[in-house]
Amino acid sequence: QVQVAESGGGLVQAGGSLRLSCEASGLTFDNHAMGWFRDTPGKEREGISCINWNGAFLYYSDSVKGRFAISRDNAKNKLYLQMSLLKPEDTGMYFCAPVDYCSSSRPMTNEYGHWGQGTQVTVSS
């Protein structure tokens, strides 16, 4: 059974930084592209970044491009999201998941449809 556990969220002032982590189990991690999604008030869950199996391809949504950086450590089954220049509109619950595709031409979708508990990010103005 695929399981993910997100961590690293918290309360930060606008302009600050946070690093989110995601530990995955129940799958051969380096066989899968991985992605970060977020729920923000008033919006549907949004895929904001993904990375292919070896880190050679990265995708960022326009809302986070230039401020967030995704990375992975296949030896540790871990995915990361370094978030900088945070804005109040980044406030939300952040989730990681294996994704069907990591591409700039098609939306990210959760490969198994299973979600972890997420980690809350709150950015104060």
Side-chain angles (χ1 to χ4, degrees), residues 68-124:
F68 291 11
I70 191 171
S71 61
R72 63 189 297 161
D73 185 336
N74 287 343
K76 296 181 179 178
N77 282 17
K78 284 194 170 182
L79 177 73
Y80 303 100
L81 188 68
Q82 178 67 48
M83 305 189 296
S84 303
L85 301 175
L86 282 161
K87 304 176 181 180
E89 51 264 45
D90 294 316
T91 294
M93 188 70 79
Y94 285 69
F95 302 87
C96 68
V99 295
D100 286 329
Y101 300 98
C102 182
S103 168
S104 57
S105 61
R106 60 196 300 173
M108 299 162 46
T109 57
N110 186 331
E111 183 174 1
Y112 295 100
H114 171 77
W115 299 99
Q117 292 190 334
T119 187
Q120 176 68 35
V121 172
T122 302
V123 184
S124 63

